[in-house]
Amino acid sequence: MSTLLGAKQPVLPYSMKHVHHYDNAKFRPRSFFQMVTQALVKSSIRRDCARCSTGKILVLLMFSGLAYLMFTHTSPVPSKSDELMHSSFRKYEDKKLIAGFKGFWRRPPRIPPRLTPDEKVNHNTSIFDSEKLNEKAKWEGRQNKVKEAFIHAWSGYSKYAMGYDELMPLSQRGTDGLGGLGATVVDALDTAMIMGANDIVLEAGTWIEKNLLERITAKGQVNLFETTIRVLGGLLSAYHLSGGEKGTDIIKFEGPKPTVYLEIAKDLADRLLVAFTASPTSIPFSDVVLRDRTAHPAPGGVSSTSEVSTVQLEFNYLSTVLNDSKYGLEAMKVLEHMRSLPTVQGLVPIYISPHSGEFIGQNIRLGSRGDSYYEYLLKVWLQHGTSQDSNFQYLHKMYEEAMKGVRSLLVRKSIPKGLVFVGELPSGSEDDFSPKMDHLVCFLPGTLALGATKGFTKKQAMKDNLVSFADLDNLNLAEDLTKTCFEMYAVTSTGLAPEIAYFHTEGYSEVGLDGGNKSSEYINDIIIKPADRHNLLRPETVESLFVLYRITEDPKYREWGWQIFEAFEKHTKVDSGGFTSLNDVTKVPPERRDKMETFFLGETLKYIYLLFGESSVIPLDKFVFNTEAHPFPII
Ligand code: DMJ
């Protein structure tokens, strides 16, 4: 094998550039003069002529004659007009003349036998192919492990909590924390489709067909945002992936027809619309009573900025497939209104009032209540194609300005090791900076990378001139932040990230609050407070690993994803079925929390699965993932 790989084999020259360096005189080029003199040296003629001066003169005359013929043959006599036209090129032509003369005498170098292109290809690709095949098999094996984990998660839910929103895997029962629409069933369905877990597709699909419409009609209060991203989003991507709207022709499943998902989605959206229409401004109320189609503000009267601005992909896509603009129009009013509001370098406070339409307070962050506002600015623009003259161009401007604001106001480096992180401005830009970063912020590197190349690989985007200097800055920041998000996992004893981390900076330090993994290089950079040590099986970091891998094609992101997946397997898997949230990621064994969030099936496992698979599955230049990882085709 080592000789095959060329390590011990002498290298043959396969191109002209190697010929001069190749230590074998018979392959060197020889001039005519060298050839004649070498012949003379070797021949008896030389010996004879050396003694005969007449012979010498004759040989010299012969050479002079030949030289004359050569000059007159290669140098045409120029006409007057030619002389005028080419006078400025005279020097250049003279050089060419001499070169032509030299070239006439010089024989092309003798090159040793080459491999034919076919042989070369076969020779190289056999090694290359076997490495590639091994690598492929490795990731297919790992992908399969993720599918097994998904089946294990589903089996716990299906056994103990079918029809409930979420599974409590330790107490082996279900709980309705999201309004009682069977949120796990709908959130998990398209993951099962993507993984080809057909039994689950059938089971989930059948439950939806039999129960969901009835639930929607009878249920009480739900949150507009949560219901839109998980339930409406899940139904719409299931509709597409199962073949609706032509869908992905290859994937077809047992279970309900695609239109079943669409009809339920329509009914749900019709009820949710009241959150927009009942509001005195363009900012919707946060809650809806599905049963009687009434809307209500959140306790305290204000909505979260991220919630009201993270329903547009879903409503737009519904409008497209139903060919009815009313859903998209209502949802887009929010972003159109926000466009007119004051910002701090594109950054916005995390609360907004549906009564006044104004932002409330000055708290700026990209963690909870702020996060997906920035995500949807980009994704709604991507959803509609990225042409300069589109009506959605303003969203890209808002996004670009906001990312500039992030870079100038929120990005800092930790000490001593210099991890790049995104902090917060709890009282606006005039007040103190907080080096606090929610795990939720780890969606940002994925969004930055996606925005930089518009879903294409970096290589392709650079080739097609799609990348501006600002895009490159964003992509670099994305890579730095992805590393930080990964280190938030690697720094703990369990290998799982806490819900919130603080970063050691010049102005901020705390002792004795590390993650517990003493072999981590970043143990002194990352501070984890006791109240923040839980892990909810969140997806943001693996989401970014997935996007970064697709865009940069750097295999390290896959390896990091595998490390995280193994930690989930080791510390959160519940033998009887399902996976559980943890109370403290800094202790081994970690205390467990008894909840499997719907997004573990809807997002976390889906993103890890896609990270390990072919990039042609749900390609990022053709699909846009909603904030709950439900893919919609780009319109
Ligand atoms: C998900 O519901 C969505 O990703 C949302 O945007 C943020 N929170 C959870 C996952 O952590």
Side-chain angles (χ1 to χ4, degrees):
M1 191 65 188
S2 64
T3 50
L4 260 185
L5 288 169
K8 302 216 163 72
Q9 245 176 349
V11 183
L12 286 173
Y14 291 122
S15 77
M16 287 294 290
K17 98 173 177 276
H18 295 119
V19 167
H20 303 293
H21 304 295
Y22 190 63
D23 191 20
N24 183 342
K26 84 177 173 183
F27 296 126
R28 288 200 196 116
R30 287 181 294 164
S31 68
F32 181 78
F33 181 74
Q34 280 173 315
M35 288 180 347
V36 171
T37 48
Q38 281 168 13
L40 288 177
V41 168
K42 283 183 188 158
S43 70
S44 58
I45 299 172
R46 190 198 172 276
R47 282 195 303 274
D48 295 345
C49 288
R51 284 194 297 270
C52 169
S53 58
T54 322
K56 273 184 197 166
I57 290 161
L58 281 172
V59 168
L60 274 172
L61 277 173
M62 188 179 83
F63 275 109
S64 325
L66 277 170
Y68 173 77
L69 279 173
M70 198 38 232
F71 268 113
T72 51
H73 174 75
T74 53
S75 158
V77 181
S79 70
K80 276 260 181 248
S81 58
D82 281 349
E83 213 168 324
L84 268 175
M85 270 176 72
H86 298 294
S87 60
S88 57
F89 298 112
R90 178 63 50 78
K91 280 190 179 158
Y92 169 68
E93 287 295 312
D94 286 346
K95 277 186 192 159
K96 260 178 71 182
L97 184 74
I98 294 161
F101 175 62
K102 284 183 183 164
F104 181 85
W105 294 109
R106 182 169 291 160
R107 290 198 167 178
R110 296 167 63 207
I111 299 168
R114 300 170 189 225
L115 291 178
T116 66
D118 280 355
E119 284 168 329
K120 262 200 269 185
V121 167
N122 292 340
H123 175 77
N124 294 332
T125 50
S126 59
I127 308 154
F128 188 57
D129 276 356
S130 76
E131 272 171 14
K132 258 178 100 176
L133 283 174
N134 286 342
E135 198 58 14
K136 198 165 178 272
K138 173 173 123 184
W139 290 108
E140 274 171 9
R142 289 180 171 185
Q143 206 186 27
N144 217 34
K145 293 264 180 242
V146 186
K147 183 174 171 182
E148 282 166 18
F150 176 77
I151 293 170
H152 181 80
W154 176 264
S155 77
Y157 171 77
S158 153
K159 242 187 298 176
Y160 306 119
M162 191 67 193
Y164 284 92
D165 282 334
E166 285 151 323
L167 167 70
M168 297 174 74
L170 303 183
S171 38
Q172 301 182 343
R173 62 193 172 91
T175 176
D176 275 341
L178 292 159
L181 299 181
T184 293
V185 187
V186 196
D187 225 1
L189 176 59
D190 65 356
T191 307
M193 289 176 170
I194 289 166
M195 291 181 177
N198 294 339
D199 292 348
I200 298 177
V201 175
L202 179 61
E203 190 184 345
T206 309
W207 185 91
I208 289 169
E209 185 170 30
K210 281 196 185 143
N211 302 287
L212 191 51
L213 204 50
E214 193 189 307
R215 291 275 179 103
I216 289 169
T217 322
K219 278 294 169 182
Q221 194 151 325
V222 297
N223 173 276
L224 167 71
F225 160 76
E226 298 292 1
T227 310
T228 300
I229 64 168
R230 301 186 202 215
V231 184
L232 185 60
L235 287 168
L236 289 174
S237 64
Y239 164 71
H240 180 78
L241 294 178
S242 62
E245 184 231 340
K246 292 196 211 99
T248 37
D249 291 338
I250 343 127
I251 311 173
K252 292 273 172 338
F253 302 98
E254 273 188 77
K257 283 196 245 106
T259 46
V260 170
Y261 300 126
L262 184 60
E263 277 158 21
I264 303 172
K266 180 182 179 322
D267 184 276
L268 179 60
D270 283 337
R271 290 165 195 274
L272 292 173
L273 269 182
V274 69
F276 302 90
T277 53
S279 167
T281 66
S282 307
I283 303 302
F285 288 131
S286 77
D287 295 329
V288 168
V289 177
L290 292 173
R291 191 178 47 236
D292 58 18
R293 300 178 193 238
T294 56
H296 306 272
V302 292
S303 300
S304 296
T305 300
S306 65
E307 291 195 3
V308 299
S309 56
T310 309
V311 292
Q312 287 69 23
L313 285 179
E314 298 78 359
F315 280 78
N316 286 339
Y317 182 55
L318 184 65
S319 270
T320 305
V321 291
L322 290 177
N323 199 17
D324 180 348
S325 60
K326 73 169 178 259
Y327 307 96
L329 280 177
E330 283 301 334
M332 288 307 293
K333 279 184 198 163
V334 180
L335 298 178
E336 278 150 21
H337 170 75
M338 284 179 152
R339 176 189 192 178
S340 67
L341 298 179
T343 70
V344 179
Q345 299 187 28
L347 305 176
V348 295
I350 59 171
Y351 290 110
I352 191 162
S353 166
H355 302 287
S356 66
E358 303 292 329
F359 286 121
I360 304 289
Q362 293 191 290
N363 193 342
I364 289 172
R365 65 176 181 230
L366 272 83
S368 62
R369 301 183 190 279
D371 48 5
S372 45
Y373 161 76
Y374 304 95
E375 181 185 351
Y376 269 37
L377 288 181
L378 178 79
K379 287 185 172 177
V380 175
W381 174 69
L382 287 175
Q383 182 184 37
H384 289 90
T386 54
S387 91
Q388 289 288 336
D389 50 345
S390 98
N391 292 336
F392 300 88
Q393 198 58 31
Y394 75 95
L395 293 170
H396 189 243
K397 287 215 176 80
M398 288 165 78
Y399 167 77
E400 278 199 310
E401 199 197 346
M403 291 308 110
K404 227 167 131 190
V406 167
R407 293 202 306 265
S408 78
L409 295 174
L410 300 182
V411 171
R412 298 272 170 96
K413 272 190 181 177
S414 67
I415 53 173
K417 290 286 181 177
L419 281 176
V420 175
F421 68 95
V422 174
E424 302 182 358
L425 293 169
S427 308
S429 59
E430 302 302 312
D431 220 317
D432 287 348
F433 171 86
S434 165
K436 164 179 176 272
M437 180 163 150
D438 293 353
H439 183 274
L440 287 167
V441 180
C442 290
F443 83 95
L444 184 63
T447 297
L448 283 166
L450 188 68
T453 68
K454 290 84 196 163
F456 296 101
T457 60
K458 180 180 178 188
K459 211 161 131 197
Q460 183 68 44
M462 299 285 276
K463 206 170 128 214
D464 294 350
N465 281 328
L466 295 175
V467 182
S468 67
F469 286 111
D471 290 329
L472 270 187
D473 285 345
N474 286 343
L475 190 52
N476 289 337
L477 177 59
E479 298 216 41
D480 288 343
L481 289 174
T482 307
K483 175 171 173 54
T484 301
C485 289
F486 169 69
E487 297 301 343
M488 283 164 64
Y489 284 71
V491 82
T492 70
S493 315
T494 54
L496 291 170
E499 177 73 357
I500 297 168
Y502 285 77
F503 288 82
H504 185 185
T505 58
E506 293 292 348
Y508 182 84
S509 74
E510 297 224 28
V511 276
L513 297 179
D514 62 58
N517 177 9
K518 303 291 178 200
S519 63
S520 163
E521 205 191 321
Y522 301 100
I523 187 93
N524 296 319
D525 291 58
I526 300 177
I527 297 158
I528 308 174
K529 298 187 180 185
D532 306 331
R533 292 182 175 168
H534 49 292
N535 178 296
L536 304 183
L537 311 170
R538 284 198 191 276
E540 291 75 19
T541 296
V542 294
E543 168 184 351
S544 286
L545 291 175
F546 158 69
V547 179
L548 267 284
Y549 175 70
R550 287 270 177 111
I551 281 168
T552 66
E553 301 175 299
D554 185 335
K556 80 176 175 216
Y557 296 116
R558 275 184 157 181
E559 295 294 348
W560 291 354
W562 177 246
Q563 212 170 300
I564 291 173
F565 174 72
E566 283 196 304
F568 277 128
E569 283 265 287
K570 187 165 174 197
H571 297 292
T572 70
K573 197 170 189 169
V574 178
D575 288 345
S576 53
F579 289 75
T580 186
S581 307
L582 303 175
N583 273 335
D584 187 349
V585 292
T586 68
K587 302 262 154 41
V588 175
E591 193 185 307
R592 300 188 297 176
R593 211 174 227 210
D594 200 16
K595 175 77 106 54
M596 183 172 76
E597 303 279 345
T598 77
F599 47 70
F600 186 62
L601 290 89
E603 296 193 69
T604 311
L605 292 177
K606 181 189 288 155
Y607 280 131
I608 304 178
Y609 182 86
L610 289 172
L611 168 66
F612 298 164
E614 298 289 326
S615 295
S616 53
V617 176
I618 325 264
L620 289 178
D621 59 326
K622 305 231 161 31
F623 284 84
V624 61
F625 285 84
N626 87 338
T627 195
E628 191 73 8
H630 298 303
F632 306 143
I634 285 174
I635 296 168

